[in-house]
Amino acid sequence: MAQVTQVKKACTVNPLKMSQPIGGALAFMGLHNTMPVLHGSQGCTSFGLVLFVRHFKEAIPLQTTAMSEVATVLGGYENVEQAILNIHKRTKPDLIGICSTGVTEIKGDDVVGFIKTFRQKHPEFADYPLVSVSTPDFSGAFQDGWEKTVAAIVKEMVSEERRAGDARRVNVLPGCHMTPGDIDELRQIFLDFGLEATFLPDLSGSLDGHIPEDFTPTTLGGVGMDEIRDMGRAGWTIAIGTQMRAAARALEEKTGVPFKLFERLCGLGPNDAFFAFLSDISGHEVPLKYRRQRSQLVDAMLDGHFHIGGRKLAMAAEPDLLYDFGSFLHEIGAKIVAAVTTTSSPVLEKMPVDEVLIGDLEDLETRASERGGDFLVSHAHGRQMAERMDLPFFRIGLPIFDRLGAGHLTTVGYKGGRDLIFAVSNMLIEHNEAHHEPTTESWRQPEEQEAV
């Protein structure tokens, strides 16, 4: 069992984590025709906007209550009120999601109370969907914001009417480490088992990088409001990642729909359990194409372990992604010598490593140097570290702004694991060739080189 240690130092030198409001805003972007709003200063929203645009390479809907110094001191009700009225008038979203920030949390703004007052003052908004989430950016991290937001959507939007479960319908609660490509792959898997899946949130429809026919100022694609309200009609809820346990439990308490939690969906063992569960609830045998993909994954693990096996891995990511991807590489033979994450989670104790640090990329670089790490994994902010250490660097997570196709990186299913092994192995092969490719000069003996 891994020991989880909170690093204590005067400042963060090379930040790893992103804030809760950013995670909450991304969760709202998986809903159809929705406008996420950050209750805070314009700078907070601008940072998140730039982050998402650089990662997804898409137009991002994100608004702000534009808190000034005076409004911060006196209270932000008027800013929230004007933001809701202006957004509703100009963009007509089906839902407005409000995430708090550090500025308004320090002030103590009661956004839930603000919304109640707003509905009393504007009766026409009595039934209009307004979801607020407390996401202070001075605590927690990106994953926490996503977790809280999905749970809040379930509590606010899902109908309390309990109906007989439809065995062909399933609810899927994906964690923040799931890409639009992952969700697309999962949807096809469910269809092949004869199951109709409702994803909450569903980034595959909104941030999968397609060209819309018409411009829309709100989110495009994503799960619709009616689909969310009807989630109580499903036979099962499948939660992916420990972070989704709270939302799954809230849905079960509200509708009676039982849930099954899968902490990982990357690798052979986790997918064997996943496909066996789908076969059980659907009454269908595992389709032949997935049996073949499983065989391909086993073969890829055999081929890849010659390049990944024995490698000393140093990895930094959000807790669920760290556990999922790190454990997968460990199963292929990599030895994790340094693991750094952003926030606490019960899953960290299951990591196949002696210690997990809650810290920053400086901590990862220090540990990797001390313990002979020869292979780095993190998001794009780790690239300078990799250059300084002259080590191969695999990008995963968010943000990835110096490569294309980050939203389509797929790690779930047998096919996702297979392709991941190839991507990592090919990167390691390329790095080795660049640093150790034999030349006519490298074959000479030292005394021959001196003579030349």
PDB file of all heavy atoms in Angstrom, residues 392-420:
ATOM      1  N   PRO A 392      12.830  10.829 -22.350  1.00  0.00           N
ATOM      2  CA  PRO A 392      11.596  10.707 -23.144  1.00  0.00           C
ATOM      3  C   PRO A 392      10.396  11.136 -22.316  1.00  0.00           C
ATOM      4  O   PRO A 392      10.313  10.841 -21.121  1.00  0.00           O
ATOM      5  CB  PRO A 392      11.540   9.223 -23.496  1.00  0.00           C
ATOM      6  CG  PRO A 392      12.416   8.542 -22.496  1.00  0.00           C
ATOM      7  CD  PRO A 392      13.483   9.523 -22.141  1.00  0.00           C
ATOM      8  N   PHE A 393       9.463  11.816 -22.975  1.00  0.00           N
ATOM      9  CA  PHE A 393       8.345  12.441 -22.264  1.00  0.00           C
ATOM     10  C   PHE A 393       7.052  12.128 -22.989  1.00  0.00           C
ATOM     11  O   PHE A 393       6.872  12.489 -24.155  1.00  0.00           O
ATOM     12  CB  PHE A 393       8.572  13.956 -22.186  1.00  0.00           C
ATOM     13  CG  PHE A 393       7.440  14.725 -21.568  1.00  0.00           C
ATOM     14  CD1 PHE A 393       6.897  14.350 -20.347  1.00  0.00           C
ATOM     15  CD2 PHE A 393       6.904  15.841 -22.213  1.00  0.00           C
ATOM     16  CE1 PHE A 393       5.861  15.062 -19.772  1.00  0.00           C
ATOM     17  CE2 PHE A 393       5.865  16.561 -21.647  1.00  0.00           C
ATOM     18  CZ  PHE A 393       5.344  16.166 -20.427  1.00  0.00           C
ATOM     19  N   PHE A 394       6.121  11.442 -22.293  1.00  0.00           N
ATOM     20  CA  PHE A 394       4.821  11.113 -22.871  1.00  0.00           C
ATOM     21  C   PHE A 394       3.767  12.028 -22.264  1.00  0.00           C
ATOM     22  O   PHE A 394       3.639  12.123 -21.043  1.00  0.00           O
ATOM     23  CB  PHE A 394       4.453   9.664 -22.593  1.00  0.00           C
ATOM     24  CG  PHE A 394       3.231   9.198 -23.349  1.00  0.00           C
ATOM     25  CD1 PHE A 394       3.329   8.854 -24.682  1.00  0.00           C
ATOM     26  CD2 PHE A 394       2.001   9.106 -22.723  1.00  0.00           C
ATOM     27  CE1 PHE A 394       2.207   8.426 -25.389  1.00  0.00           C
ATOM     28  CE2 PHE A 394       0.882   8.688 -23.420  1.00  0.00           C
ATOM     29  CZ  PHE A 394       0.987   8.346 -24.762  1.00  0.00           C
ATOM     30  N   ARG A 395       3.012  12.707 -23.122  1.00  0.00           N
ATOM     31  CA  ARG A 395       2.009  13.664 -22.677  1.00  0.00           C
ATOM     32  C   ARG A 395       0.658  12.977 -22.501  1.00  0.00           C
ATOM     33  O   ARG A 395       0.193  12.293 -23.400  1.00  0.00           O
ATOM     34  CB  ARG A 395       1.878  14.811 -23.684  1.00  0.00           C
ATOM     35  CG  ARG A 395       3.116  15.688 -23.789  1.00  0.00           C
ATOM     36  CD  ARG A 395       3.118  16.463 -25.095  1.00  0.00           C
ATOM     37  NE  ARG A 395       4.229  17.390 -25.180  1.00  0.00           N
ATOM     38  CZ  ARG A 395       5.468  17.052 -25.529  1.00  0.00           C
ATOM     39  NH1 ARG A 395       5.745  15.788 -25.836  1.00  0.00           N
ATOM     40  NH2 ARG A 395       6.410  17.969 -25.591  1.00  0.00           N
ATOM     41  N   ILE A 396       0.046  13.216 -21.347  1.00  0.00           N
ATOM     42  CA  ILE A 396      -1.285  12.679 -21.093  1.00  0.00           C
ATOM     43  C   ILE A 396      -1.981  13.591 -20.100  1.00  0.00           C
ATOM     44  O   ILE A 396      -1.346  14.248 -19.274  1.00  0.00           O
ATOM     45  CB  ILE A 396      -1.211  11.223 -20.563  1.00  0.00           C
ATOM     46  CG1 ILE A 396      -2.577  10.533 -20.690  1.00  0.00           C
ATOM     47  CG2 ILE A 396      -0.699  11.186 -19.133  1.00  0.00           C
ATOM     48  CD1 ILE A 396      -2.518   9.035 -20.499  1.00  0.00           C
ATOM     49  N   GLY A 397      -3.299  13.666 -20.179  1.00  0.00           N
ATOM     50  CA  GLY A 397      -4.047  14.539 -19.281  1.00  0.00           C
ATOM     51  C   GLY A 397      -4.365  15.866 -19.928  1.00  0.00           C
ATOM     52  O   GLY A 397      -4.385  16.002 -21.157  1.00  0.00           O
ATOM     53  N   LEU A 398      -4.586  16.866 -19.108  1.00  0.00           N
ATOM     54  CA  LEU A 398      -4.959  18.200 -19.582  1.00  0.00           C
ATOM     55  C   LEU A 398      -4.201  19.232 -18.762  1.00  0.00           C
ATOM     56  O   LEU A 398      -4.173  19.116 -17.529  1.00  0.00           O
ATOM     57  CB  LEU A 398      -6.465  18.392 -19.429  1.00  0.00           C
ATOM     58  CG  LEU A 398      -7.148  19.611 -20.030  1.00  0.00           C
ATOM     59  CD1 LEU A 398      -8.603  19.287 -20.361  1.00  0.00           C
ATOM     60  CD2 LEU A 398      -7.096  20.811 -19.100  1.00  0.00           C
ATOM     61  N   PRO A 399      -3.527  20.202 -19.425  1.00  0.00           N
ATOM     62  CA  PRO A 399      -3.580  20.517 -20.861  1.00  0.00           C
ATOM     63  C   PRO A 399      -2.458  19.862 -21.654  1.00  0.00           C
ATOM     64  O   PRO A 399      -1.395  19.579 -21.143  1.00  0.00           O
ATOM     65  CB  PRO A 399      -3.393  22.036 -20.862  1.00  0.00           C
ATOM     66  CG  PRO A 399      -2.440  22.278 -19.720  1.00  0.00           C
ATOM     67  CD  PRO A 399      -2.828  21.258 -18.658  1.00  0.00           C
ATOM     68  N   ILE A 400      -2.754  19.637 -22.941  1.00  0.00           N
ATOM     69  CA  ILE A 400      -1.729  19.283 -23.926  1.00  0.00           C
ATOM     70  C   ILE A 400      -1.887  20.288 -25.066  1.00  0.00           C
ATOM     71  O   ILE A 400      -2.770  20.137 -25.911  1.00  0.00           O
ATOM     72  CB  ILE A 400      -1.903  17.843 -24.439  1.00  0.00           C
ATOM     73  CG1 ILE A 400      -1.801  16.842 -23.288  1.00  0.00           C
ATOM     74  CG2 ILE A 400      -0.854  17.527 -25.498  1.00  0.00           C
ATOM     75  CD1 ILE A 400      -2.053  15.403 -23.694  1.00  0.00           C
ATOM     76  N   PHE A 401      -1.076  21.324 -25.051  1.00  0.00           N
ATOM     77  CA  PHE A 401      -1.235  22.415 -26.010  1.00  0.00           C
ATOM     78  C   PHE A 401      -0.144  22.446 -27.073  1.00  0.00           C
ATOM     79  O   PHE A 401      -0.185  23.281 -27.978  1.00  0.00           O
ATOM     80  CB  PHE A 401      -1.263  23.774 -25.279  1.00  0.00           C
ATOM     81  CG  PHE A 401      -0.196  23.924 -24.235  1.00  0.00           C
ATOM     82  CD1 PHE A 401       1.117  24.163 -24.578  1.00  0.00           C
ATOM     83  CD2 PHE A 401      -0.525  23.809 -22.896  1.00  0.00           C
ATOM     84  CE1 PHE A 401       2.082  24.290 -23.614  1.00  0.00           C
ATOM     85  CE2 PHE A 401       0.443  23.935 -21.909  1.00  0.00           C
ATOM     86  CZ  PHE A 401       1.763  24.179 -22.281  1.00  0.00           C
ATOM     87  N   ASP A 402       0.842  21.552 -26.987  1.00  0.00           N
ATOM     88  CA  ASP A 402       1.918  21.537 -27.970  1.00  0.00           C
ATOM     89  C   ASP A 402       1.852  20.313 -28.875  1.00  0.00           C
ATOM     90  O   ASP A 402       2.819  19.987 -29.555  1.00  0.00           O
ATOM     91  CB  ASP A 402       3.281  21.596 -27.265  1.00  0.00           C
ATOM     92  CG  ASP A 402       3.468  20.496 -26.239  1.00  0.00           C
ATOM     93  OD1 ASP A 402       2.465  19.834 -25.894  1.00  0.00           O
ATOM     94  OD2 ASP A 402       4.597  20.295 -25.773  1.00  0.00           O
ATOM     95  N   ARG A 403       0.723  19.645 -28.891  1.00  0.00           N
ATOM     96  CA  ARG A 403       0.468  18.528 -29.796  1.00  0.00           C
ATOM     97  C   ARG A 403      -0.997  18.589 -30.239  1.00  0.00           C
ATOM     98  O   ARG A 403      -1.844  19.146 -29.531  1.00  0.00           O
ATOM     99  CB  ARG A 403       0.721  17.174 -29.110  1.00  0.00           C
ATOM    100  CG  ARG A 403       2.173  16.937 -28.697  1.00  0.00           C
ATOM    101  CD  ARG A 403       3.064  16.750 -29.918  1.00  0.00           C
ATOM    102  NE  ARG A 403       4.420  16.347 -29.527  1.00  0.00           N
ATOM    103  CZ  ARG A 403       5.391  17.204 -29.198  1.00  0.00           C
ATOM    104  NH1 ARG A 403       5.142  18.508 -29.180  1.00  0.00           N
ATOM    105  NH2 ARG A 403       6.598  16.758 -28.889  1.00  0.00           N
ATOM    106  N   LEU A 404      -1.295  18.007 -31.394  1.00  0.00           N
ATOM    107  CA  LEU A 404      -2.672  17.952 -31.880  1.00  0.00           C
ATOM    108  C   LEU A 404      -3.328  16.630 -31.486  1.00  0.00           C
ATOM    109  O   LEU A 404      -2.653  15.633 -31.280  1.00  0.00           O
ATOM    110  CB  LEU A 404      -2.707  18.107 -33.401  1.00  0.00           C
ATOM    111  CG  LEU A 404      -2.248  19.449 -33.982  1.00  0.00           C
ATOM    112  CD1 LEU A 404      -2.330  19.416 -35.510  1.00  0.00           C
ATOM    113  CD2 LEU A 404      -3.081  20.604 -33.441  1.00  0.00           C
ATOM    114  N   GLY A 405      -4.658  16.661 -31.397  1.00  0.00           N
ATOM    115  CA  GLY A 405      -5.417  15.429 -31.181  1.00  0.00           C
ATOM    116  C   GLY A 405      -5.524  14.986 -29.743  1.00  0.00           C
ATOM    117  O   GLY A 405      -5.866  13.823 -29.487  1.00  0.00           O
ATOM    118  N   ALA A 406      -5.272  15.882 -28.778  1.00  0.00           N
ATOM    119  CA  ALA A 406      -5.339  15.484 -27.372  1.00  0.00           C
ATOM    120  C   ALA A 406      -6.724  14.988 -26.992  1.00  0.00           C
ATOM    121  O   ALA A 406      -6.865  14.068 -26.179  1.00  0.00           O
ATOM    122  CB  ALA A 406      -4.936  16.670 -26.479  1.00  0.00           C
ATOM    123  N   GLY A 407      -7.750  15.595 -27.577  1.00  0.00           N
ATOM    124  CA  GLY A 407      -9.112  15.182 -27.257  1.00  0.00           C
ATOM    125  C   GLY A 407      -9.481  13.814 -27.790  1.00  0.00           C
ATOM    126  O   GLY A 407     -10.485  13.231 -27.375  1.00  0.00           O
ATOM    127  N   HIS A 408      -8.682  13.278 -28.708  1.00  0.00           N
ATOM    128  CA  HIS A 408      -8.987  11.978 -29.310  1.00  0.00           C
ATOM    129  C   HIS A 408      -8.088  10.864 -28.790  1.00  0.00           C
ATOM    130  O   HIS A 408      -8.209   9.717 -29.254  1.00  0.00           O
ATOM    131  CB  HIS A 408      -8.876  12.069 -30.833  1.00  0.00           C
ATOM    132  CG  HIS A 408      -9.900  12.971 -31.455  1.00  0.00           C
ATOM    133  ND1 HIS A 408     -11.189  12.576 -31.694  1.00  0.00           N
ATOM    134  CD2 HIS A 408      -9.837  14.267 -31.842  1.00  0.00           C
ATOM    135  CE1 HIS A 408     -11.883  13.585 -32.224  1.00  0.00           C
ATOM    136  NE2 HIS A 408     -11.079  14.614 -32.317  1.00  0.00           N
ATOM    137  N   LEU A 409      -7.189  11.177 -27.865  1.00  0.00           N
ATOM    138  CA  LEU A 409      -6.374  10.135 -27.259  1.00  0.00           C
ATOM    139  C   LEU A 409      -7.282   9.171 -26.503  1.00  0.00           C
ATOM    140  O   LEU A 409      -8.038   9.567 -25.627  1.00  0.00           O
ATOM    141  CB  LEU A 409      -5.350  10.759 -26.301  1.00  0.00           C
ATOM    142  CG  LEU A 409      -4.454   9.779 -25.540  1.00  0.00           C
ATOM    143  CD1 LEU A 409      -3.561   9.014 -26.510  1.00  0.00           C
ATOM    144  CD2 LEU A 409      -3.608  10.515 -24.499  1.00  0.00           C
ATOM    145  N   THR A 410      -7.205   7.898 -26.840  1.00  0.00           N
ATOM    146  CA  THR A 410      -8.103   6.896 -26.267  1.00  0.00           C
ATOM    147  C   THR A 410      -7.309   5.875 -25.459  1.00  0.00           C
ATOM    148  O   THR A 410      -6.332   5.314 -25.950  1.00  0.00           O
ATOM    149  CB  THR A 410      -8.886   6.169 -27.380  1.00  0.00           C
ATOM    150  OG1 THR A 410      -9.590   7.140 -28.168  1.00  0.00           O
ATOM    151  CG2 THR A 410      -9.880   5.200 -26.789  1.00  0.00           C
ATOM    152  N   THR A 411      -7.731   5.663 -24.222  1.00  0.00           N
ATOM    153  CA  THR A 411      -7.057   4.705 -23.344  1.00  0.00           C
ATOM    154  C   THR A 411      -7.984   3.588 -22.881  1.00  0.00           C
ATOM    155  O   THR A 411      -7.517   2.622 -22.288  1.00  0.00           O
ATOM    156  CB  THR A 411      -6.496   5.419 -22.100  1.00  0.00           C
ATOM    157  OG1 THR A 411      -7.576   5.980 -21.342  1.00  0.00           O
ATOM    158  CG2 THR A 411      -5.526   6.526 -22.495  1.00  0.00           C
ATOM    159  N   VAL A 412      -9.302   3.711 -23.113  1.00  0.00           N
ATOM    160  CA  VAL A 412     -10.245   2.717 -22.605  1.00  0.00           C
ATOM    161  C   VAL A 412     -10.404   1.568 -23.588  1.00  0.00           C
ATOM    162  O   VAL A 412     -10.107   1.690 -24.779  1.00  0.00           O
ATOM    163  CB  VAL A 412     -11.627   3.352 -22.327  1.00  0.00           C
ATOM    164  CG1 VAL A 412     -11.501   4.484 -21.336  1.00  0.00           C
ATOM    165  CG2 VAL A 412     -12.273   3.837 -23.621  1.00  0.00           C
ATOM    166  N   GLY A 413     -10.886   0.461 -23.084  1.00  0.00           N
ATOM    167  CA  GLY A 413     -11.135  -0.698 -23.925  1.00  0.00           C
ATOM    168  C   GLY A 413      -9.844  -1.413 -24.291  1.00  0.00           C
ATOM    169  O   GLY A 413      -8.739  -0.940 -24.029  1.00  0.00           O
ATOM    170  N   TYR A 414      -9.984  -2.564 -24.893  1.00  0.00           N
ATOM    171  CA  TYR A 414      -8.820  -3.321 -25.336  1.00  0.00           C
ATOM    172  C   TYR A 414      -8.058  -2.560 -26.418  1.00  0.00           C
ATOM    173  O   TYR A 414      -6.824  -2.531 -26.419  1.00  0.00           O
ATOM    174  CB  TYR A 414      -9.249  -4.684 -25.875  1.00  0.00           C
ATOM    175  CG  TYR A 414      -9.894  -5.589 -24.851  1.00  0.00           C
ATOM    176  CD1 TYR A 414     -11.172  -6.110 -25.046  1.00  0.00           C
ATOM    177  CD2 TYR A 414      -9.219  -5.936 -23.678  1.00  0.00           C
ATOM    178  CE1 TYR A 414     -11.758  -6.952 -24.110  1.00  0.00           C
ATOM    179  CE2 TYR A 414      -9.802  -6.772 -22.732  1.00  0.00           C
ATOM    180  CZ  TYR A 414     -11.075  -7.275 -22.956  1.00  0.00           C
ATOM    181  OH  TYR A 414     -11.649  -8.103 -22.016  1.00  0.00           O
ATOM    182  N   LYS A 415      -8.796  -1.927 -27.327  1.00  0.00           N
ATOM    183  CA  LYS A 415      -8.149  -1.199 -28.421  1.00  0.00           C
ATOM    184  C   LYS A 415      -7.385   0.008 -27.902  1.00  0.00           C
ATOM    185  O   LYS A 415      -6.284   0.308 -28.365  1.00  0.00           O
ATOM    186  CB  LYS A 415      -9.196  -0.774 -29.461  1.00  0.00           C
ATOM    187  CG  LYS A 415      -8.601  -0.102 -30.683  1.00  0.00           C
ATOM    188  CD  LYS A 415      -9.626   0.061 -31.785  1.00  0.00           C
ATOM    189  CE  LYS A 415     -10.693   1.079 -31.412  1.00  0.00           C
ATOM    190  NZ  LYS A 415     -11.602   1.355 -32.545  1.00  0.00           N
ATOM    191  N   GLY A 416      -7.970   0.708 -26.923  1.00  0.00           N
ATOM    192  CA  GLY A 416      -7.295   1.868 -26.357  1.00  0.00           C
ATOM    193  C   GLY A 416      -5.988   1.491 -25.690  1.00  0.00           C
ATOM    194  O   GLY A 416      -4.968   2.171 -25.849  1.00  0.00           O
ATOM    195  N   GLY A 417      -5.996   0.389 -24.930  1.00  0.00           N
ATOM    196  CA  GLY A 417      -4.768  -0.071 -24.288  1.00  0.00           C
ATOM    197  C   GLY A 417      -3.724  -0.498 -25.298  1.00  0.00           C
ATOM    198  O   GLY A 417      -2.527  -0.215 -25.140  1.00  0.00           O
ATOM    199  N   ARG A 418      -4.171  -1.172 -26.350  1.00  0.00           N
ATOM    200  CA  ARG A 418      -3.245  -1.614 -27.411  1.00  0.00           C
ATOM    201  C   ARG A 418      -2.542  -0.424 -28.056  1.00  0.00           C
ATOM    202  O   ARG A 418      -1.307  -0.393 -28.182  1.00  0.00           O
ATOM    203  CB  ARG A 418      -4.030  -2.391 -28.462  1.00  0.00           C
ATOM    204  CG  ARG A 418      -3.224  -2.881 -29.653  1.00  0.00           C
ATOM    205  CD  ARG A 418      -4.139  -3.165 -30.837  1.00  0.00           C
ATOM    206  NE  ARG A 418      -4.767  -1.941 -31.335  1.00  0.00           N
ATOM    207  CZ  ARG A 418      -5.754  -1.928 -32.240  1.00  0.00           C
ATOM    208  NH1 ARG A 418      -6.261  -3.074 -32.676  1.00  0.00           N
ATOM    209  NH2 ARG A 418      -6.252  -0.785 -32.661  1.00  0.00           N
ATOM    210  N   ASP A 419      -3.328   0.575 -28.456  1.00  0.00           N
ATOM    211  CA  ASP A 419      -2.759   1.738 -29.125  1.00  0.00           C
ATOM    212  C   ASP A 419      -1.866   2.545 -28.187  1.00  0.00           C
ATOM    213  O   ASP A 419      -0.885   3.163 -28.623  1.00  0.00           O
ATOM    214  CB  ASP A 419      -3.879   2.623 -29.670  1.00  0.00           C
ATOM    215  CG  ASP A 419      -4.656   1.942 -30.791  1.00  0.00           C
ATOM    216  OD1 ASP A 419      -4.161   0.920 -31.319  1.00  0.00           O
ATOM    217  OD2 ASP A 419      -5.764   2.416 -31.119  1.00  0.00           O
ATOM    218  N   LEU A 420      -2.202   2.546 -26.904  1.00  0.00           N
ATOM    219  CA  LEU A 420      -1.395   3.271 -25.925  1.00  0.00           C
ATOM    220  C   LEU A 420      -0.011   2.635 -25.794  1.00  0.00           C
ATOM    221  O   LEU A 420       1.006   3.336 -25.710  1.00  0.00           O
ATOM    222  CB  LEU A 420      -2.111   3.283 -24.579  1.00  0.00           C
ATOM    223  CG  LEU A 420      -1.717   4.369 -23.573  1.00  0.00           C
ATOM    224  CD1 LEU A 420      -1.872   5.745 -24.171  1.00  0.00           C
ATOM    225  CD2 LEU A 420      -2.570   4.241 -22.323  1.00  0.00           C
TER     226      LEU A 420
END
